[in-house]
Amino acid sequence: MAEFEFKVKFNQQDIKSLNQEILTAFKKVIASNAVLRDIGEVLVLDIVDTTKNEKSIPNKLANLKLLKEAWINRKDRLSKYNKTSPDYEHGKSNLTFTGQLLNSLTYIVEGPGKLKLMFKGNHSAYIGANGKKIGKDISNDKLAGYVAESGRPFMGIRPAMRLRINRIVKSYVIRVLAVARLTK
Amino acid sequence: MAEAKGLVLETDIVAQEFNLEEILGVDLSKDEALAAEIGNDIVDYITKRSAAGRGIGGSKLRSPYSKEYLNSEEAKIYGKKPAPINMRLSGDMISSMDVIDFDGTTLVVGIEGEEAAKAHGHMTGKNGTVPNMKREFFGLTSSELKKITDNYSDRISALESPSPTIGDLLSEKDNASINDFFNNIGDIFKLKELK
């Protein structure tokens, strides 16, 4: 289960000493659904891309743990009977075989200032040589938890995305102030 | 002191943000490959510049390395000598420098992940606690960036100017105030993992 709460923190300066007009615009922006949706989009895309590139965000972008030989061979065998993701590659540790897990990552805006990243739906069990499912379907949310516990944590916010989120918020603040000037 | 605008110095990211739309006056969102090429050239430029013992704007990096550093276990293993200064021990920090983001407007080049703490230590002298360590090897001045982008002048001039946005209605003073606000507010966003 991966859930993120969007919080605003004033670290360096007393709020009173900040430009009050900009602060008002800023508060309006960070409570906005549109802004949170933009941030959600950015985070989901980045987590998926970073993982497909075999990097672990929580482990400071170190490589995801390598796959064991037996697992690599099993995936190769199963690839004959399952529709694999275009990002699946022999031996690559990128949490992508059929692509169901990463494709299920999404976000919802839960309210002002609150964004939740989550995995939706079920992960279908793989099909074996006899054309039948091997094992049971499992929720993508549970699977994400197992993957992280087994040494491949991947959910997180890359430092460069923090910068991007800052720029997104800043661009909205600029818009709010510009509209205020126009309607004055 | 030469200035590198848009520097971000944090322990998990040492980077420079280049608003290419503003700097070049064109819309690069349809030519992301060009932005990536410029980014890669920035990485190459800083790599070569630091190998020559030079930092931001070509200023000389502090020399020689301190005795404490040379006596460290790691420096001994790699056979580090007092000079030349090249910001390389294992080479991991310099080689981890990369293009780390482009959102269609702003290009971000830098170091994030494990090596960022090391780079942050060098850039800030461990936040001023180890001044001898301070060597500002990362970052470009506007004129250094221009040298790089001048190599792409034909491709840049073939691009369209960005469409005016509502933000263009703001005065320079407003924009400066907004920049100040965001500079002073610090690390404003915390996306906290709940479970």
Side-chain angles (χ1 to χ4, degrees):
Chain A
M1 182 75 166
E3 195 173 310
F4 290 89
E5 187 181 28
F6 183 68
K7 273 191 170 178
V8 183
K9 194 178 166 188
F10 297 90
N11 273 352
Q12 294 179 7
Q13 210 167 330
D14 183 7
I15 293 174
K16 284 177 190 164
S17 65
L18 293 167
N19 179 316
Q20 293 301 298
E21 189 194 15
I22 300 175
L23 182 62
T24 306
F26 175 76
K27 284 181 176 169
K28 191 175 170 185
V29 162
I30 54 170
S32 143
N33 272 6
V35 177
L36 291 173
R37 282 199 300 270
D38 273 6
I39 293 170
E41 294 273 355
V42 161
L43 291 178
V44 167
L45 285 175
D46 191 64
I47 291 168
V48 170
D49 280 354
T50 308
T51 308
K52 283 181 180 173
N53 285 322
E54 302 177 270
K55 302 284 180 198
S56 165
I57 299 174
N59 281 346
K60 295 184 176 179
L61 297 170
N63 287 337
L64 284 164
K65 193 168 86 174
L66 292 176
L67 299 173
K68 286 185 178 154
E69 193 66 34
W71 190 242
I72 294 172
N73 294 336
R74 181 168 180 250
K75 287 280 171 75
D76 274 353
R77 278 197 310 276
L78 289 173
S79 67
K80 295 172 198 159
Y81 320 113
N82 292 272
K83 193 182 174 208
T84 58
S85 157
D87 297 297
Y88 165 69
E89 213 177 286
H90 172 86
K92 224 175 173 184
S93 178
N94 65 357
L95 306 185
T96 305
F97 178 54
T98 56
Q100 296 177 73
L101 177 65
L102 291 181
N103 286 344
S104 77
L105 180 60
T106 188
Y107 66 88
I108 49 168
V109 175
E110 286 207 314
K114 197 168 179 194
L115 182 71
K116 185 175 163 188
L117 266 62
M118 57 183 286
F119 296 89
K120 61 179 182 201
N122 281 335
H123 186 280
S124 293
Y126 300 139
I127 308 290
N130 60 2
K132 289 181 180 167
K133 280 184 177 180
I134 307 167
K136 289 177 182 171
D137 295 355
I138 178 177
S139 79
N140 281 306
D141 186 55
K142 260 192 186 168
L143 181 60
Y146 293 152
V147 166
E149 280 164 24
S150 68
R152 292 186 184 84
F154 63 101
M155 291 292 289
I157 297 151
R158 197 160 61 94
M161 289 305 108
R162 267 200 336 256
L163 303 185
R164 195 192 276 208
I165 291 168
N166 273 284
R167 293 198 302 272
I168 290 171
V169 173
K170 194 171 167 182
S171 71
Y172 274 100
V173 167
I174 288 171
R175 269 185 251 177
V176 168
L177 289 173
V179 170
R181 294 282 181 280
L182 273 177
T183 52
K184 238 179 191 176
Chain B
M1 182 67 203
E3 194 198 354
K5 285 181 192 161
L7 264 190
V8 178
L9 301 176
E10 289 169 28
T11 51
D12 62 355
I13 182 167
V14 168
Q16 191 168 8
E17 294 179 290
F18 303 95
N19 185 330
L20 293 181
E21 189 173 293
E22 221 172 80
I23 295 166
L24 304 173
V26 292
D27 178 6
L28 263 88
S29 61
K30 286 174 190 151
D31 194 353
E32 294 201 359
L34 177 56
E37 283 176 57
I38 292 171
N40 288 329
D41 284 0
I42 292 170
V43 171
D44 291 345
Y45 179 86
I46 296 175
T47 304
K48 283 180 192 157
R49 193 186 63 189
S50 55
R54 303 274 168 180
I56 299 171
S59 57
K60 212 173 165 196
L61 294 169
R62 183 191 300 273
S63 178
Y65 287 117
S66 68
K67 279 181 190 163
E68 292 85 353
Y69 173 65
L70 293 169
N71 284 332
S72 70
E73 203 62 41
E74 224 184 345
K76 281 179 186 165
I77 290 169
Y78 287 98
K80 201 72 189 160
K81 292 178 180 159
I85 299 291
N86 58 9
M87 306 310 292
R88 280 176 180 273
L89 185 60
S90 64
D92 289 348
M93 182 184 74
I94 290 288
S95 61
S96 67
M97 193 168 29
D98 209 349
V99 176
I100 52 180
D101 194 26
F102 179 62
D103 62 6
T105 305
T106 301
L107 175 73
V108 187
V109 176
I111 299 170
E112 61 175 347
E114 218 169 347
E115 296 297 318
K118 215 189 282 178
H120 178 264
H122 286 300
M123 292 294 290
T124 64
K126 286 203 172 170
N127 281 326
T129 57
V130 191
N132 282 344
M133 189 184 172
K134 188 169 176 179
R135 292 187 177 89
E136 292 177 293
F137 71 98
F138 180 82
L140 291 189
T141 61
S142 305
S143 59
E144 287 178 307
L145 177 67
K146 191 173 179 305
K147 272 185 211 160
I148 290 170
T149 56
D150 278 353
N151 294 328
Y152 297 96
S153 52
D154 289 349
R155 283 172 69 185
I156 291 168
S157 52
L159 293 168
E160 287 169 19
S161 302
S163 313
T165 63
I166 196 163
D168 295 334
L169 295 167
L170 289 178
S171 66
E172 272 183 32
K173 194 182 159 202
D174 278 332
N175 279 309
S177 304
I178 293 167
N179 284 336
D180 277 353
F181 179 89
F182 277 86
N183 289 339
N184 289 330
I185 213 164
D187 185 12
I188 46 178
F189 308 109
K190 291 284 174 199
L191 283 146
K192 185 182 166 195
E193 195 172 351
L194 297 178
K195 290 175 188 174

